[in-house]
């Protein structure tokens, strides 16, 4: 029996939203209160009682009670967010550790924390004070060093100069902060395009450990703030995976992990966790970063042999990345380029690795002479160790997946171990902690094996509850089975569809390359001027969504909004799928294809169907919504593909042949 015999214990009791009995199991009491919330408290506030919520609540009680992973597949309109929030908050207060709510992207975070969002609703109608704080990804903050650099270059001086002038005074002067003051968030600059933001936003190649502005950085200050959350920390999948990947290294370096110890994790839109894990659990190598870090060793008095070793390694690095720039092969519909593992490339890898080993040997002697700053030396040694670990994977190419990205400032080599599943199993799913996957689309043909296998989850609970909406009555569906139609032909057909719906349309693209092609082709079309087009990437995403929602005649063109977009009513009455969202032919998915017995059945079709179901789900958000889903694609001519898609559409689906 739990005894409450101190002041802290009494405070704990007072923080529960129900009268806690120390003689009864906590989760049973929490579940009883949550049932009262859905049966009595929320209906009294005007909410609709949903049996699906009650069912989901009892399923989550099992997962929290047994501290297990659960796949909670609940259709659109079931109110699943309210259920997992209530359990996460109660369990956080019981354990005195915050819960993590990890969303698929920043737009989903905004949906959750907006003034009329679900957290605000619970606080208002249940008379709760909920301490929920945002843990945004570093790339959502201004990098003060990059801002200084772009201002010094004179590029877009008016834009970036204005941003600099509007920073808080303590950034420019050594003022003392009296309280937390958030600043520098991507959302604060809604008019900036993604391209302009990339010039001043943090990126992975910034070395924050030795930055002399880190204690006045918006990212750092935000981190100190969200760590103190009592109930909820809301972050992205990417940020949570970054926390997992950097946990051990940050502790070795004497830093706190990105996230504090937590009681449970909810992965909202959990079917998207795998790409976030792949993105985070990688090594990213860049010549300019290596050169900037290793040349720090030359700032002091060092032996000539070390100086020569550094010079040789810089030359080898430059040669390696130039080889990558020339030999890597572009992958259509992907930002990634394929690495060609030729004998010449592998020789460059081995030569570079050998020279790094020479530097490491020299540093052993140099550290004994105490001629180098210990802190700088530690940073360099950590960086060299990371590079050597990454390069060592090329000795067994079957153990890695690698690709190249190319930006104006240079080539980046990305190396991902194939043991991602093992890392997740050890660091996330192997812990004795409740983990909730919440989404309307987690299963394929009624089975959760596809997502569980992808993430290395062996032991899990699962359940499915359908949407309460009447899709037969509320949705009209049209399939355009194309043959050899060109992109320009499809653009003309899409514009014709837009004329019929008169705006209020969301066009979903599988890639930015296809979106850009439509943007270019539609600009040449005489009918395009009738619509107001909003393109993802032209401004901050939540700003674009707000513009779209407030203009019922606008058309939103997006790549990342297959999930999470929640716009009821006529502002979104037509969803157009530009082409079926099969996975790209990039190195990550090619590796999955090679591991599969039947790549189309085991990899491509499940991925497409999960994505497609999410896209279709953007249309009907309330019982009063009505609308059209229009899907284009040559693959619709394949019977097995069309039949699978039609399972998620009204039985009255119409088949059209494009003009």
């Amino acid at each position: 029996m739990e005894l409450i015999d101190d002041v802290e214990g009494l405070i704990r009791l007072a923080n529960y939203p129900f009268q806690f009995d120390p003689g009864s199991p906590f989760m049973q009491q929490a579940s009883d209160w949550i049932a009262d919330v859905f049966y009595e408290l929320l209906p009294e506030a005007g909410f609709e009682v949903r049996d699906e919520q009650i069912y989901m609540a009892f399923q989550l009680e099992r997962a929290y009670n047994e501290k297990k992973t659960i796949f909670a597949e609940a259709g659109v309109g079931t109110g699943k967010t309210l259920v997992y929030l209530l359990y996460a908050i109660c369990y956080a207060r019981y354990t005195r550790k915050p819960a993590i709510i990890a969303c698929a992207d920043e737009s989903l975070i905004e949906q959750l924390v907006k003034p009329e969002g679900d957290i605000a609703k619970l606080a208002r109608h249940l008379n709760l004070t909920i301490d929920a704080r945002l843990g945004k990804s570093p790339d959502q903050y201004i990098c003060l060093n990059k801002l200084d650099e772009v201002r010094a270059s004179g590029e877009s001086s008016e834009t970036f100069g204005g941003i600099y002038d509007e920073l808080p005074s303590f950034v420019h002067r050594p003022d003392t902060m009296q309280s937390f003051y958030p600043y520098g968030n991507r959302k604060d600059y809604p008019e900036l395009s993604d391209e302009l933001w990339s010039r001043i936003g943090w990126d992975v190649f910034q070395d924050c450990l030795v930055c002399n502005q880190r204690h006045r950085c918006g990212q750092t200050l935000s981190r100190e703030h969200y760590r103190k959350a009592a109930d909820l920390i809301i972050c992205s999948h990417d940020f949570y995976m970054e926390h997992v990947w950097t946990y051990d290294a940050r502790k070795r370096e004497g830093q706190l992990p990105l996230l504090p110890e937590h009681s449970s994790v909810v992965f909202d839109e959990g079917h998207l966790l795998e790409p976030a894990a792949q993105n985070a659990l990688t090594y990213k190598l860049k010549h300019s970063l290596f050169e900037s870090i290793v040349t720090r060793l030359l700032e002091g008095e060092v032996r000539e042999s070390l100086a020569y070793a550094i010079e040789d390694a810089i030359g080898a690095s430059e040669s390696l990345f130039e080889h990558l720039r020339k030999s890597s092969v572009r992958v259509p519909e992907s930002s990634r380029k394929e690495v060609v593992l030729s004998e010449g490339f592998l020789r460059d890898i081995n030569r570079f690795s050998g020279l790094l080993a020479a530097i490491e040997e020299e540093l052993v002697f140099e550290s004994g002479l105490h001629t180098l700053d210990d802190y700088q030396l530690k940073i360099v040694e950590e960086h060299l160790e990371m590079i050597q670990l990454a390069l060592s994977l090329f000795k067994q190419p079957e153990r890695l997946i690698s690709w190249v990205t190319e930006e104006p400032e240079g080539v980046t080599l990305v190396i991902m171990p194939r043991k991602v599943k093992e890392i997740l199993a050890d660091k996330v799913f192997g812990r004795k902690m409740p983990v909730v996957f919440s989404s309307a689309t987690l299963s394929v043909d009624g089975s959760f094996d596809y997502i569980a296998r992808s993430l290395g989850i062996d032991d899990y609970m699962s359940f499915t509850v359908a949407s309460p909406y009447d899709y037969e009555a509320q949705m009209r569906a049209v399939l355009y089975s194309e043959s050899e139609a060109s992109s320009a032909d499809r653009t003309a057909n899409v514009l014709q569809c837009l004329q019929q719906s008169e705006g209020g349309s969301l066009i979903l693209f599988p890639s930015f390359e296809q979106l850009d092609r439509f943007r270019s082709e539609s600009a040449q079309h005489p009918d395009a001027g009738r619509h107001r087009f909003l393109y993802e990437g032209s401004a901050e995403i939540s700003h674009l969504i707000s513009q779209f929602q407030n203009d019922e005649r606008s058309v939103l063109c997006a790549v990342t909004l297959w999930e999470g977009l929640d716009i009821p009513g006529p502002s979104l009455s037509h969803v157009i799928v530009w082409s079926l969202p099969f996975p790209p032919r990039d190195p990550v998915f090619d590796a999955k294809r090679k591991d599969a017995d039947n790549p189309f059945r085991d990899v491509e079709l499940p991925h497409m169907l999960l994505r497609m179901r999410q896209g279709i789900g953007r249309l009907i958000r309330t019982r009063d919504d009505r609308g059209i889903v229009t899907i284009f694609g040559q693959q619709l001519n394949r019977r097995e593909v069309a039949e699978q898609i039609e399972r998620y559409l009204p039985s009255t689906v119409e088949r059209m042949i494009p003009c």
Side-chain angles (χ1 to χ4, degrees), residues 210-221:
V210 294
C211 176
N212 58 7
Q213 302 193 76
R214 64 191 299 259
H215 296 297
R216 302 196 174 276
C217 167
Q219 176 198 158
T220 304
L221 296 175

Side-chain angles (χ1 to χ4, degrees), residues 1-36:
M1 184 175 70
E2 184 176 359
L3 298 178
I4 306 296
D5 57 1
D6 56 14
V7 173
E8 184 178 340
L10 292 173
I11 292 173
R12 246 175 96 195
L13 285 179
N15 282 340
Y16 294 140
F18 52 86
Q19 187 65 42
F20 177 60
D21 176 8
S24 299
F26 174 80
M27 288 313 304
Q28 179 183 324
Q29 296 179 68
S31 186
D32 290 344
W33 174 74
I34 290 170
D36 289 340

Side-chain angles (χ1 to χ4, degrees), residues 460-499:
Y460 62 86
M461 300 175 173
S462 65
F463 69 90
T464 298
V465 289
S467 170
Y469 300 147
D470 184 357
Y471 289 105
E472 289 288 330
Q474 294 178 252
M475 179 191 294
R476 177 185 163 214
V478 182
L479 301 183
Y480 279 81
S481 304
E482 298 174 319
S483 53
E484 298 298 324
S486 68
S487 176
D489 292 334
R490 187 181 296 175
T491 295
N493 285 309
V494 166
L495 292 173
Q496 187 176 17
C497 292
L498 292 176
Q499 289 181 36

